[in-house]
Amino acid sequence: MSMIFNIESSSSLLNMEETSTIEKSHSGYDRMSEVKAFDDTKLGVQGLIENRVTKVPPIFHCNEPESNSSSKPKSKFSIPIIDINSGIIGDDVVEKVKDACENWGFFQIINHGIPVHVLDDMINGTRMFHEQDPEVRKRYYTRDLSKKVLYVSNFSLFQEPYVNWRDSLGISMAPNPPKDEELPQVCRDIVIEYSKKVKSFASTLLELVSEALGLNRNHLQEMGYGDGFVVLCHYYPVCPQPELTMGNSKHTDNDLITILLQDQIGGLQILHQNQWIDVPPIHGALVVNIGDLLQLLSNDKFISVQHRVIAKNIGPRISVATLFRTDDEAGNKTSKVFSPIKELLSEENPPIYRDTTLAEYTAHFYAKGIGTSTLSHFKL
Ligand code: OGA
Ligand code: NI
């Protein structure tokens, strides 16, 4: 295992002529083949930990100036916490959601109706998947994004400037869920249960967001934009040199809306008024954030905000992000057209974005890599 990251051994296999045709990083090692070797292990970052790697390999090093420092003064800001008291939705709640969607793009919900034991079990199920026998885990490893169940380290590994200290199990649960037996056995029951619960909470959430936009309560659901969802079970192993890398580099979500469950380790931050702000773990709460598609539909009224997860030398950290966006009935990237919602437009508020399809949008998202804005590409 340690051979994979031994710089001398990989480049000494090649003579000078060959190396010159291979893309090399500034530090002069054949980065791409190291990345590929890492991917070929099919065991993710957790595989490094299992093999007692004590240094963060160079492919994970990020050179962003504003990366991991936790020495910054504590911000006076904190993201809104909204109590929705299981279903009784009054005007004050709608007002709070509106304010959060307009000014923060992120908020935490308490009393959402999903029992705490279901949340705890979902975190545990994720842990059990990533910590199970490597030989079993490995069988799920694939980069085929059309698979309904996929285990992978870094979804766009080969497009990114550095590898994130994170592995994920992604499960596409709607509109067409995998067969029960396709789900990993260690977390099968809880994935099914959590999905049911999170779907029902999402429907309340979409009603709230519709109202917060000044639309009919059922508007977003009737448009069918939130019918599909994927559950991403993230695992951020403990990191021996957290200052050198990131758990999740800064990005916006490319969906309608995301519901995030995080454990108590912390590390999630959002960019608010040019400052990185912690999203503090609250046991039993769910974090909600607006994705790019909702920013587009709302004609920039609601904002999709950059966020990241710093690496830590405590952990593992576990989170479960459920991303809502719809595919067509066959589960393909749809021809459904996205454009600013007509009811929100007026002479004073003309459309900012042109029409796009989910297929076009997704293709662009993957082509440009994570971290730069997808939306600006569709501005009129
Ligand atoms: C994501 C994400 C944050 C986290 O999956 O898009 O931002 O805390 N996750 O894992
Ligand atoms: Ni995200």
Side-chain angles (χ1 to χ4, degrees), residues 58-129:
I59 57 168
F60 292 88
H61 292 187
C62 72
N63 299 315
E64 284 167 35
E66 31 85 78
S67 68
N68 259 353
S69 74
S70 45
S71 55
K72 284 185 199 128
K74 254 202 153 5
S75 168
K76 58 184 190 300
F77 298 115
S78 68
I79 77 163
I81 298 169
I82 304 173
D83 185 343
I84 62 166
N85 203 359
S86 307
I88 315 149
I89 293 169
D91 290 347
D92 54 328
V93 174
V94 173
E95 204 46 48
K96 282 181 189 150
V97 169
K98 177 168 180 275
D99 179 71
C101 295
E102 288 179 356
N103 300 310
W104 288 88
F106 263 81
F107 48 98
Q108 308 217 47
I109 296 266
I110 54 172
N111 291 319
H112 40 66
I114 306 184
V116 175
H117 69 87
V118 174
L119 305 184
D120 291 346
D121 289 353
M122 188 60 212
I123 299 266
N124 244 323
T126 300
R127 177 195 306 278
M128 289 194 302
F129 176 82

Side-chain angles (χ1 to χ4, degrees), residues 7 9-36 158:
I7 295 162
S9 76
S10 62
S11 50
S12 65
L13 295 172
L14 304 161
N15 67 35
M16 285 310 284
E17 241 166 49
E18 278 167 333
T19 22
S20 66
T21 61
I22 292 170
E23 198 193 319
K24 290 167 91 180
S25 76
H26 305 298
S27 47
Y29 73 107
D30 178 6
R31 186 177 178 280
M32 259 319 172
S33 67
E34 304 267 329
V35 172
K36 182 160 187 319
F158 294 102

Side-chain angles (χ1 to χ4, degrees), residues 50 217 303-304 356:
E50 286 162 345
R217 164 173 290 218
I303 51 173
S304 172
T356 179

Side-chain angles (χ1 to χ4, degrees), residues 223-225 227 326-327 333-338 356-359:
M223 289 167 92
Y225 286 131
D227 289 350
T326 207
D327 297 347
K333 294 292 163 277
T334 181
S335 50
K336 200 181 192 79
V337 173
F338 282 78
T356 179
T357 61
L358 192 52

Side-chain angles (χ1 to χ4, degrees), residues 150-310:
L150 81 147
Y151 166 50
V152 77
S153 187
N154 294 246
F155 292 97
S156 49
L157 183 74
F158 294 102
Q159 282 80 48
E160 305 305 329
Y162 62 90
V163 184
N164 286 177
W165 199 259
R166 182 192 73 249
D167 303 324
S168 309
L169 168 68
I171 306 170
S172 178
M173 286 302 289
N176 300 298
K179 295 194 191 77
D180 285 2
E181 58 272 24
E182 291 173 61
L183 293 168
Q185 201 251 320
V186 282
C187 55
R188 183 177 299 156
D189 294 349
I190 187 60
V191 164
I192 294 168
E193 186 177 7
Y194 181 75
S195 298
K196 247 185 237 151
K197 296 262 172 17
V198 84
K199 185 183 163 162
S200 130
F201 169 54
S203 122
T204 307
L205 188 61
L206 288 176
E207 288 178 9
L208 264 173
V209 169
S210 300
E211 289 204 66
L213 280 170
L215 299 166
N216 178 303
R217 164 173 290 218
N218 297 317
H219 197 104
L220 286 170
Q221 286 188 92
E222 276 167 6
M223 289 167 92
Y225 286 131
D227 289 350
F229 68 92
V230 32
V231 181
L232 304 180
C233 309
H234 299 306
Y235 188 88
Y236 301 83
V238 77
C239 184
Q241 296 171 298
E243 64 292 347
L244 294 181
T245 187
M246 290 293 285
N248 202 333
S249 22
K250 70 166 188 232
H251 66 281
T252 57
D253 289 356
N254 68 343
D255 60 347
L256 194 65
I257 202 159
T258 302
I259 299 175
L260 179 88
L261 164 66
Q262 64 168 334
D263 71 4
Q264 297 301 298
I265 298 287
L268 174 62
Q269 302 181 326
I270 73 164
L271 193 57
H272 179 76
Q273 299 186 4
N274 259 325
Q275 270 186 65
W276 286 105
I277 314 250
D278 290 330
V279 178
I282 300 174
H283 187 219
L286 289 167
V287 178
V288 173
N289 67 283
I290 305 297
D292 292 351
L293 291 176
L294 188 49
Q295 178 168 336
L296 184 151
L297 291 176
S298 75
N299 207 35
D300 277 359
K301 199 161 170 354
F302 289 177
I303 51 173
S304 172
V305 166
Q306 286 200 317
H307 52 285
R308 66 181 190 183
V309 179
I310 58 171

